[in-house]
Amino acid sequence: MDHSGNVLDYLNWRGDLTFAQDGFNEVDNLVLCIISYINFRRVERLRSREPAQAMTLGEVCALLSEKDEQLGLSNLDYIPVLRAASETVRFGAVRMYGYECSHDDEREMQFAAVSFLLPDETLFIAFMGTDRSLVGWKEDLNMSYLSAIPAQQRAEAYAEVMAATARRRKIRLGGHSKGGNLAVWAAMHLPERIQSRRLLAAYNNDGPGFLNSVLETEEYRRIADRIHTFIPESSVVGVLLDHAEDYDVIDSSNRAIMQHEPMSWSVLGGRFVHLGERSQLGKLSDGVMREWVGSMTPEEREEFCNALFEILSQGGKMRTLDDLRSGGFAAQAAPFLAGIRSFADLDRFDWLELLRNLLGFERLRALDANYPEAFTTPAGARHRIDYDNEIPTLSAKVQEFYGVGSHPAVGRKRIPLRIELLSPAQRPVQVTTDLPGFWRGNWPLVQKEMKSRYPKHFWPDDPASADPMLRTVKPKKV
């Protein structure tokens, strides 16, 4: 029989135990991270960074109303968690301060954090996850190609400032969703003296990992043994990017992507309910995410993220997920998705038609200009570009590219095409992403071989200045 519950049950079951009787644990971390989602903007005193001005959970709770409810993606209320915690012996003496919340559409940054002074003489710094703003989601996508996003840089500065306000306290950091990523990032970049003497733990609660280039840094290695990562068995968010540390797979009362909701996480005693491995759905999503990140260059991921955001925001007209639900993406996509009832329906669905409808004429024209379906060679022949490869690729006879002085490219960043140059028998003779360099370099060797195999065809000494040809046989002399 399952006797587990959630964080509210935990507060009811074990809220009478002080931190002296039962030390800080992983569920305490989640309680504080859930509280960090609440909208504290009207509580002016909470913005103070002076520990003497810190407020108890009960004092904060008394100033809140329904309009101050959590700012995250959940449809659940989080103020009841704050209220329940404030009424326990365990959290009744916990004090809050240093609240910060900021949005910057131009920098594509969404950030919020609050700090807690615990009775065990420690400091807990909690970072909020992604809110309902589209710029918050765009910043999450930006993690796939930027070495550091603005919210990470802000988290780094915030953590160092808050650590300085409570110099005698040891430190834990935590967050849920993007907030978990920010917590680890901030811990990585604390000054070494703070890391070695005061840092106890960094909790990543179903938050994204990092690019491999970050995981290989000395900053990450210094704190790797103090990172605690929890990922529900079928959740998707926590497997975005990579985790070098071992993560704990935990149980949730929800299914699939809804397991990201922290209120659904199963708790037993002072721990989550730990499982042995990810579910089949979880393993599938792990592979899909890694394949997506690994299949594109950082430049391609950047273009994809910008294009997706442009579609969802309708050129900046939509600013929140609520906007999308009321009249943006959802309204346009609903007629197309209405008939989907099974995975077989998804397999047969015409996603290209939906994309065309969402993009509109102007964006379709811009997309086609940057990523054309086909390329017309200087000789006038049209060849399909294969975007399924790691690098966009096309194949055509080498004679069709005579006279080319600059290499063909696609995309806003002008990614060079991978060109398979073919012989008259349609066999590859060279693969290149630099035609001018090929003409200057390896061409004489290819020319010699082609002349011996196809003596009736035209193989000029200077292909860069020759006329392109569709007919591969030498023109007859008059």
Side-chain angles (χ1 to χ4, degrees):
M1 185 175 179
D2 184 8
H3 295 286
S4 64
N6 62 14
V7 292
L8 284 173
D9 296 309
Y10 168 77
L11 293 170
N12 183 43
W13 296 337
R14 301 178 67 85
D16 60 336
L17 297 174
T18 66
F19 286 103
Q21 294 171 314
D22 185 33
F24 189 92
N25 60 55
E26 59 197 39
V27 186
D28 296 321
N29 135 70
L30 188 63
V31 170
L32 299 179
C33 291
I34 288 173
I35 291 172
S36 74
Y37 273 104
I38 296 172
N39 182 3
F40 297 113
R41 292 172 183 168
R42 294 194 306 119
V43 187
E44 194 61 36
R45 179 179 158 190
L46 201 56
R47 297 179 184 272
S48 171
R49 293 179 176 174
E50 293 293 332
Q53 293 294 313
M55 305 171 68
T56 66
L57 303 190
E59 289 173 331
V60 174
C61 198
L63 300 175
L64 301 178
S65 66
E66 289 183 0
K67 62 184 177 183
D68 301 307
E69 249 309 338
Q70 56 98 2
L71 297 169
L73 302 172
S74 174
N75 58 3
L76 301 179
D77 292 340
Y78 287 175
I79 290 179
V81 177
L82 173 63
R83 182 175 296 110
S86 72
E87 294 171 352
T88 65
V89 173
R90 189 170 185 80
F91 287 94
V94 171
R95 294 180 294 142
M96 303 173 59
Y97 74 126
Y99 177 65
E100 180 177 323
C101 183
S102 58
H103 273 76
D104 190 328
D105 287 352
E106 187 173 331
R107 295 182 63 209
E108 296 182 342
M109 183 188 78
Q110 170 255 316
F111 175 82
V114 66
S115 295
F116 301 85
L117 298 170
L118 274 63
D120 65 355
E121 295 302 314
T122 61
L123 170 69
F124 189 93
I125 301 173
F127 297 97
M128 177 182 142
T130 307
D131 66 8
R132 296 185 180 94
S133 69
L134 288 185
V135 73
W137 278 91
K138 178 60 165 59
E139 190 174 37
D140 291 352
L141 291 172
N142 291 350
M143 286 185 186
S144 69
Y145 65 88
L146 288 178
S147 57
I149 59 172
Q152 290 171 332
Q153 295 168 335
R154 185 68 214 121
E156 178 182 338
Y158 176 86
E160 187 168 355
V161 168
M162 297 311 295
T165 67
R167 295 181 184 276
R168 295 184 179 181
R169 291 177 178 252
K170 294 196 173 181
I171 302 167
R172 299 181 183 93
L173 305 93
H176 171 260
S177 193
K178 180 177 74 175
N181 174 282
L182 300 185
V184 175
W185 179 274
M188 286 168 50
H189 293 89
L190 284 170
E192 282 191 59
R193 67 182 186 281
I194 295 179
Q195 288 178 340
S196 61
R197 298 176 185 175
R198 298 173 59 193
L199 179 63
L200 294 174
Y203 294 92
N204 185 349
N205 302 291
D206 202 24
F210 297 92
L211 296 172
N212 279 322
S213 57
V214 174
L215 300 178
E216 294 168 356
T217 62
E218 180 59 31
E219 290 85 352
Y220 181 88
R221 293 193 187 99
R222 279 201 300 265
I223 67 156
D225 61 336
R226 285 167 282 179
I227 299 173
H228 304 277
T229 300
F230 305 102
I231 300 178
E233 61 173 339
S234 298
S235 184
V236 173
V237 178
V239 296
L240 294 172
L241 304 181
D242 290 320
H243 292 277
E245 73 281 5
D246 292 332
Y247 58 76
D248 291 290
V249 179
I250 61 173
D251 184 53
S252 164
S253 59
N254 284 348
R255 299 180 65 183
I257 194 171
M258 298 309 294
Q259 292 186 352
H260 188 56
E261 167 58 63
M263 293 289 288
S264 75
W265 293 9
S266 300
V267 176
L268 190 60
R271 300 183 75 231
F272 301 124
V273 175
H274 291 243
L275 305 174
E277 61 180 10
R278 298 264 284 160
S279 67
Q280 287 301 112
L281 177 61
K283 292 176 182 177
L284 177 62
S285 65
D286 296 354
V288 169
M289 292 300 171
R290 289 192 178 93
E291 183 177 349
W292 178 75
V293 172
S295 66
M296 291 188 283
T297 65
E299 292 77 15
E300 290 170 322
R301 292 197 291 268
E302 179 181 4
E303 287 209 32
F304 172 83
C305 294
N306 288 336
L308 179 61
F309 184 71
E310 177 73 8
I311 293 170
L312 292 177
S313 68
Q314 307 233 339
K317 295 176 185 176
M318 304 292 147
R319 302 179 68 84
T320 68
L321 294 180
D322 294 330
D323 292 340
L324 291 185
R325 294 188 189 104
S326 62
F329 177 84
Q332 292 188 59
F336 292 87
L337 303 176
I340 294 179
R341 296 288 184 273
S342 66
F343 285 110
D345 293 334
L346 282 173
D347 287 338
R348 293 189 294 267
F349 185 73
D350 189 350
W351 293 100
L352 185 58
E353 182 60 28
L354 173 59
L355 184 61
R356 288 194 180 104
N357 184 269
L358 292 173
L359 283 171
F361 176 75
E362 288 298 326
R363 293 193 189 97
L364 272 175
R365 188 168 64 176
L367 182 65
D368 189 57
N370 284 306
Y371 294 97
E373 183 179 351
F375 175 81
T376 301
T377 66
R382 185 175 169 84
H383 298 274
R384 187 180 70 85
I385 299 175
D386 184 358
Y387 289 98
D388 289 338
N389 293 302
E390 184 175 346
I391 302 173
T393 302
L394 71 86
S395 301
K397 291 181 180 179
V398 64
Q399 291 97 328
E400 294 184 47
F401 291 97
Y402 290 167
V404 171
S406 60
H407 194 89
V410 296
R412 292 180 182 176
K413 295 290 184 73
R414 307 314 296 160
I415 302 166
L417 286 172
R418 179 177 179 269
I419 299 178
E420 291 182 343
L421 299 171
L422 306 179
S423 71
Q426 299 290 330
R427 295 190 180 93
V429 297
Q430 182 77 21
V431 177
T432 183
T433 55
D434 179 12
L435 271 173
F438 169 59
W439 298 144
R440 295 189 302 269
N442 288 345
W443 171 249
L445 297 175
V446 173
Q447 177 197 35
K448 181 178 179 181
E449 183 179 353
M450 290 298 101
K451 278 185 174 182
S452 65
R453 290 191 179 193
Y454 307 99
K456 294 182 178 181
H457 296 256
F458 181 49
W459 308 107
D461 293 333
D462 184 11
S465 60
D467 293 330
M469 304 174 64
L470 278 178
R471 293 176 67 254
T472 54
V473 179
K474 291 180 186 177
K476 293 181 180 180
K477 295 181 180 179
V478 179

